[in-house]
Amino acid sequence: MELFALEHKRLWRTTRVWLCVLLCFVYCVIYTGVMAYQWTYFGSEGDDPTNLYSNEPNGYSMIRTYKARADTYGDYWTDETLQKLVKDFQTIEPRSSLSSMYDWTVALNALDLYEELEDPENQQYQPLIRYVDTEKLTDFYERRAKDLEVTLKMTKQNLLLTDEDVETLQEMDSQVKTPWRYEWTRGWEKTLTGTLPMLSRMAPYLAIVLGFLFSGEWHNSTAPLLHTTRYGWKKLARVKVLSGFAFAVEFYVLIAGGTVLLQLIYLGTDGWDTPIQLIKLLAVAPWNMLQAELYELAFAFLGVIGYAGIIMLMSALVKNNVLSLVLSLAFIYVPGLLDRYLPMWTQDAMQFIPMVGTPTDIFRMNFFHIFGKGVWLPYMSITIPVLLGLACVPFAIRSWARRERV
């Protein structure tokens, strides 16, 4: 324990570590958190509606206004809710609708189920929500069920889903309770599709810190000295690995904790039990907003642990700090460069690389097939990355020790 404390303190003392932590905190918490909540995303519209940076810095008070407005539509999403929301939209000034956050996106998504009401003459000039007869917006849940059935059938015809996959998705959707609980949704949409996925931006900072964990000993010519101590090479290597994982956990807690704290301050906990279908109409996962957030936080945490293991392996394999950093960064950036040139199954497989996949797959119907057996992609995306990272640990220890002993 004493050796671990010394090694961990040594890691945190470096200027590189503090600088990386500070920059990541400013970017992930201050810029994409405080500024987005208070100014660019939820602030009232400024002089230029097409420029978010012209918004007023009054996000905290405007969020309360948006919530109060949503409360007037009732506690459950029904045909009457949709009709009232669309009717209110039609009565406001067109310019103010461009950046208003009164859940217009929920209504716009719902109107995708009413394509037969589109007027060809008006379609090219204004959206359906602007002119549709609200009395015709009925049978919402029946229409969604039919649209989901058609979507599954089309996806199956494209050979992306098997009969078993379709049955699994239909079973998942059958557990979605109706009518849906409804409260102001825009804040949760921002959190689940924007803020929490941004936690993957921790990856390059993590690589800069842990990429020098083993290779830095060679760079500083301290590796041979370390192996003359009374602890022995094996114990030292294990301590360095534990110190690396401890830093990864502390780093995650700082960034993710700051993100969640801001969410609680600005958005509160209202609407935690509303279904994720209010964000993605045809999502089949029977989850509410809180369950989705817990999944995304776990996805990011396990991804951080998995990526930390890969970084330490790269650091142990080479003696050059720059090469160690380049190899670590290649794991997260090269898949994105090759994505469009690879077959679909390969693209899905690359989602299992730590910090490469996206937690927003919970809104989709993607399956990964192993020996003909389909598994919903989010289940694998949360488990395989951390297993890959942990599997790298013994190889990192042995590789560094072997170089030292030679």
Side-chain angles (χ1 to χ4, degrees):
M1 191 65 186
E2 180 184 358
L3 181 60
F4 168 79
L6 291 173
E7 177 63 29
H8 196 55
K9 186 181 297 184
R10 178 170 171 253
L11 176 63
W12 271 101
R13 279 178 178 173
T14 59
T15 304
R16 181 185 70 256
V17 172
W18 281 103
L19 185 60
C20 286
V21 171
L22 177 61
L23 290 176
C24 187
F25 186 84
V26 170
Y27 180 73
C28 293
V29 179
I30 304 301
Y31 178 71
T32 64
V34 175
M35 291 183 64
Y37 285 127
Q38 186 65 23
W39 180 27
T40 59
Y41 206 80
F42 294 115
S44 58
E45 185 179 290
D47 296 332
D48 183 2
T50 64
N51 183 5
L52 293 178
Y53 291 97
S54 70
N55 289 355
E56 299 295 329
N58 57 356
Y60 186 86
S61 60
M62 290 304 298
I63 287 173
R64 272 71 198 158
T65 302
Y66 302 146
K67 286 184 177 183
R69 179 63 175 271
D71 290 342
T72 64
Y73 298 119
D75 295 330
Y76 292 92
W77 183 264
T78 62
D79 292 344
E80 291 73 20
T81 306
L82 176 60
Q83 293 170 2
K84 190 173 188 301
L85 190 59
V86 173
K87 185 175 295 184
D88 286 349
F89 184 94
Q90 293 174 348
T91 60
I92 66 173
E93 291 294 328
R95 189 181 74 87
S96 63
S97 68
L98 294 176
S99 63
S100 177
M101 295 295 140
Y102 291 145
D103 275 349
W104 303 136
T105 53
V106 180
L108 288 170
N109 291 337
L111 289 181
D112 289 340
L113 305 177
Y114 300 86
E115 293 182 353
E116 78 279 2
L117 300 181
E118 291 182 350
D119 184 352
E121 296 183 0
N122 290 327
Q123 186 176 357
Q124 59 180 331
Y125 300 109
Q126 52 186 338
L128 175 63
I129 193 174
R130 180 58 66 183
Y131 61 84
V132 67
D133 182 358
T134 57
E135 297 298 324
K136 297 181 179 180
L137 301 177
T138 59
D139 304 322
F140 171 80
Y141 291 107
E142 291 79 1
R143 285 173 174 268
R144 177 188 175 273
K146 291 180 181 179
D147 195 47
L148 178 61
E149 182 179 353
V150 171
T151 300
L152 290 173
K153 185 179 297 184
M154 293 178 58
T155 308
K156 178 183 173 183
Q157 290 176 348
N158 293 332
L159 303 179
L160 297 178
L161 297 177
T162 65
D163 291 336
E164 186 178 355
D165 298 339
V166 172
E167 292 177 3
T168 301
L169 292 172
Q170 290 174 333
E171 173 62 24
M172 293 172 63
D173 186 69
S174 67
Q175 300 177 37
V176 178
K177 297 180 181 179
T178 58
W180 299 339
R181 279 275 296 115
Y182 172 72
E183 290 188 40
W184 184 61
T185 303
R186 190 65 170 171
W188 284 102
E189 180 186 3
K190 162 66 177 173
T191 298
L192 296 178
T193 64
T195 304
L196 293 182
M198 288 291 287
L199 292 177
S200 63
R201 302 297 176 89
M202 295 171 57
Y205 302 99
L206 196 62
I208 294 173
V209 173
L210 299 184
F212 301 160
L213 194 66
F214 289 109
S215 62
E217 304 295 357
W218 287 98
H219 180 77
N220 298 326
S221 300
T222 58
L225 179 61
L226 288 176
H227 289 277
T228 64
T229 64
R230 61 187 175 91
Y231 297 106
W233 65 265
K234 187 175 256 187
K235 189 171 183 178
L236 285 168
R238 289 174 178 171
V239 165
K240 291 180 76 67
V241 168
L242 289 176
S243 177
F245 279 130
F247 171 81
V249 172
E250 293 161 352
F251 191 30
Y252 169 83
V253 170
L254 177 65
I255 304 302
T259 301
V260 173
L261 179 61
L262 284 178
Q263 177 192 349
L264 293 175
I265 293 173
Y266 278 92
L267 303 178
T269 59
D270 299 336
W272 67 268
D273 56 344
T274 56
I276 63 173
Q277 283 71 25
L278 287 172
I279 295 177
K280 180 72 172 181
L281 190 65
L282 296 185
V284 297
W287 293 357
N288 59 38
M289 301 295 184
L290 178 59
Q291 290 171 319
E293 177 167 3
L294 293 176
Y295 172 89
E296 294 197 5
L297 288 171
F299 177 94
F301 175 73
L302 295 176
V304 165
I305 298 299
Y307 187 52
I310 291 178
I311 297 171
M312 288 186 284
L313 175 60
M314 295 299 103
S315 181
L317 288 175
V318 299
K319 297 183 179 181
N320 185 284
N321 283 341
V322 175
L323 181 58
S324 171
L325 178 60
V326 170
L327 290 175
S328 299
L329 293 176
F331 268 88
I332 57 174
Y333 290 117
V334 170
L337 297 176
L338 301 177
D339 190 53
R340 67 182 67 181
Y341 305 107
L342 299 173
M344 184 60 67
W345 71 270
T346 308
Q347 296 180 29
D348 290 340
M350 287 195 298
Q351 301 297 308
F352 305 144
I353 300 175
M355 309 295 282
V356 171
T358 171
T360 56
D361 276 332
I362 59 176
F363 297 101
R364 304 186 181 97
M365 308 177 189
N366 297 344
F367 270 71
F368 190 82
H369 295 88
I370 304 176
F371 303 115
K373 178 69 175 179
V375 182
W376 191 43
L377 195 59
Y379 292 148
M380 301 183 69
S381 297
I382 200 174
T383 54
I384 293 182
V386 67
L387 294 178
L388 289 175
L390 295 177
C392 291
V393 172
F395 295 101
I397 295 174
R398 291 178 60 184
S399 176
W400 187 63
R402 185 179 298 112
R403 286 177 175 273
E404 288 300 298
R405 296 171 70 182
V406 169

